[in-house]
Coordinates of all heavy atoms in Angstrom, one line a residue:
M240 N 59.9 106.5 131.1 CA 58.6 106.3 131.6 C 57.7 105.8 130.5 O 57.7 106.3 129.4 CB 58.0 107.7 132.1 CG 56.6 107.6 132.6 SD 55.9 109.0 133.4 CE 56.1 110.3 132.2
K241 N 57.0 104.7 130.8 CA 56.1 104.1 129.9 C 54.7 104.6 130.2 O 54.2 104.6 131.3 CB 56.1 102.6 130.0 CG 55.2 101.9 129.0 CD 55.4 100.4 129.1 CE 54.6 99.7 128.1 NZ 54.8 98.2 128.1
V242 N 54.0 105.2 129.2 CA 52.7 105.8 129.4 C 51.6 104.9 128.8 O 51.7 104.4 127.7 CB 52.6 107.2 128.7 CG1 51.2 107.8 128.9 CG2 53.7 108.1 129.3
F243 N 50.6 104.7 129.6 CA 49.4 103.9 129.2 C 48.2 104.9 129.1 O 48.1 105.8 129.9 CB 49.0 102.9 130.3 CG 50.1 101.8 130.5 CD1 51.1 102.0 131.4 CD2 50.0 100.7 129.8 CE1 52.1 101.1 131.6 CE2 51.0 99.7 129.9 CZ 52.0 99.9 130.9
G244 N 47.4 104.7 128.0 CA 46.4 105.7 127.8 C 45.2 105.6 128.8 O 44.5 106.6 129.0
T245 N 45.1 104.5 129.4 CA 44.0 104.3 130.4 C 44.5 103.4 131.6 O 45.4 102.6 131.4 CB 42.7 103.7 129.8 OG1 43.0 102.4 129.4 CG2 42.2 104.5 128.7
I246 N 43.8 103.4 132.7 CA 44.1 102.5 133.8 C 43.8 101.1 133.3 O 44.5 100.2 133.7 CB 43.2 102.9 135.0 CG1 43.8 104.2 135.6 CG2 43.3 101.8 136.1 CD1 43.0 104.8 136.7
E247 N 42.8 100.9 132.5 CA 42.5 99.5 132.0 C 43.6 99.0 131.2 O 43.9 97.8 131.3 CB 41.2 99.6 131.1 CG 39.9 99.8 131.9 CD 38.7 100.0 131.0 OE1 38.9 99.8 129.8 OE2 37.7 100.3 131.5
A248 N 44.3 99.8 130.4 CA 45.4 99.3 129.6 C 46.6 99.0 130.6 O 47.3 98.0 130.4 CB 45.8 100.4 128.6
Y249 N 46.8 99.8 131.6 CA 47.9 99.5 132.6 C 47.6 98.3 133.4 O 48.6 97.5 133.7 CB 48.0 100.7 133.5 CG 48.8 100.5 134.8 CD1 50.1 100.1 134.7 CD2 48.2 100.5 136.0 CE1 50.9 99.9 135.8 CE2 48.9 100.2 137.1 CZ 50.2 99.9 137.1 OH 50.9 99.6 138.2
K250 N 46.4 98.0 133.6 CA 46.0 96.8 134.5 C 46.6 95.5 133.9 O 47.0 94.6 134.6 CB 44.5 96.7 134.6 CG 44.0 95.6 135.5 CD 42.5 95.6 135.6 CE 42.0 94.4 136.5 NZ 40.6 94.4 136.6
E251 N 46.7 95.4 132.6 CA 47.2 94.2 131.9 C 48.7 93.9 132.3 O 49.1 92.8 132.4 CB 47.0 94.3 130.4 CG 45.6 94.3 130.0 CD 45.4 94.6 128.5 OE1 46.4 94.5 127.8 OE2 44.3 94.9 128.1
E252 N 49.5 95.0 132.5 CA 50.9 94.8 132.8 C 51.2 95.2 134.3 O 52.4 95.1 134.7 CB 51.7 95.7 131.9 CG 51.6 95.3 130.5 CD 52.6 96.1 129.6 OE1 53.6 96.5 130.1 OE2 52.2 96.4 128.5
A253 N 50.2 95.5 135.1 CA 50.5 96.0 136.5 C 51.0 94.9 137.3 O 50.7 93.7 137.3 CB 49.1 96.5 137.0
K254 N 52.0 95.3 138.2 CA 52.6 94.4 139.2 C 52.5 95.2 140.5 O 52.7 96.4 140.6 CB 54.0 94.1 138.9 CG 54.2 93.3 137.6 CD 55.6 92.9 137.3 CE 56.6 94.0 137.2 NZ 56.6 94.8 136.0
K255 N 52.3 94.4 141.6 CA 52.4 95.0 142.9 C 53.7 95.7 143.2 O 54.8 95.1 142.8 CB 52.2 93.9 144.0 CG 52.2 94.4 145.4 CD 51.9 93.3 146.4 CE 52.0 93.9 147.8 NZ 51.7 92.9 148.8
G256 N 53.7 96.9 143.7 CA 54.9 97.7 143.9 C 55.3 98.6 142.8 O 56.2 99.4 142.9
D257 N 54.5 98.6 141.7 CA 54.8 99.5 140.6 C 54.7 101.0 141.1 O 53.9 101.3 141.9 CB 53.8 99.4 139.5 CG 54.1 98.2 138.5 OD1 55.2 97.6 138.6 OD2 53.2 97.9 137.7
R258 N 55.6 101.8 140.6 CA 55.6 103.2 141.0 C 55.1 104.0 139.7 O 55.6 103.8 138.6 CB 56.9 103.7 141.4 CG 57.3 103.1 142.7 CD 58.5 103.8 143.3 NE 58.7 103.3 144.7 CZ 59.7 102.4 145.0 NH1 60.5 101.9 144.0 NH2 59.8 102.0 146.2
F259 N 54.1 104.8 139.9 CA 53.5 105.5 138.7 C 53.0 106.9 139.1 O 52.8 107.2 140.3 CB 52.3 104.7 138.2 CG 51.2 104.4 139.1 CD1 50.1 105.3 139.1 CD2 51.2 103.3 140.0 CE1 49.1 105.0 140.0 CE2 50.2 103.1 140.8 CZ 49.1 104.0 140.9
V260 N 52.7 107.7 138.1 CA 52.1 109.0 138.2 C 50.8 108.9 137.4 O 50.7 108.2 136.4 CB 53.0 110.2 137.8 CG1 54.1 110.4 138.8 CG2 53.5 110.0 136.4
L261 N 49.8 109.7 137.8 CA 48.5 109.7 137.1 C 48.5 111.0 136.2 O 48.9 112.1 136.7 CB 47.4 109.7 138.1 CG 47.2 108.4 138.9 CD1 46.1 108.6 139.9 CD2 46.8 107.3 137.9
G262 N 47.9 110.8 135.0 CA 47.7 112.0 134.2 C 46.5 112.8 134.7 O 45.7 112.3 135.4
G263 N 46.5 114.1 134.3 CA 45.4 114.9 134.8 C 44.1 114.8 134.0 O 44.1 114.3 132.9
V264 N 43.1 115.1 134.7 CA 41.8 115.1 134.0 C 41.2 116.6 134.0 O 40.1 116.8 133.6 CB 40.7 114.2 134.7 CG1 41.1 112.8 134.6 CG2 40.6 114.5 136.2
G265 N 42.1 117.5 134.3 CA 41.7 118.9 134.4 C 42.8 119.7 133.8 O 43.4 119.4 132.7
I266 N 43.1 120.8 134.4 CA 44.1 121.8 133.9 C 45.5 121.2 134.0 O 46.3 121.3 133.1 CB 44.0 123.1 134.7 CG1 42.7 123.7 134.4 CG2 45.2 124.0 134.3 CD1 42.4 125.0 135.3

């Protein structure tokens, strides 16, 4: 799994159909 620190950083390499999980902003 490749982790991006922010959605903005991911946007540069994003491709339609990518499968991803989102990091938490809480507990």
Side-chain angles (χ1 to χ4, degrees):
M240 176 171 55
K241 184 174 182 179
V242 178
F243 297 89
T245 64
I246 290 174
E247 289 174 5
Y249 164 65
K250 183 178 178 181
E251 296 173 11
E252 294 185 35
K254 295 184 299 283
K255 182 179 178 179
D257 279 350
R258 293 192 172 104
F259 61 92
V260 291
L261 293 172
V264 291
I266 297 171

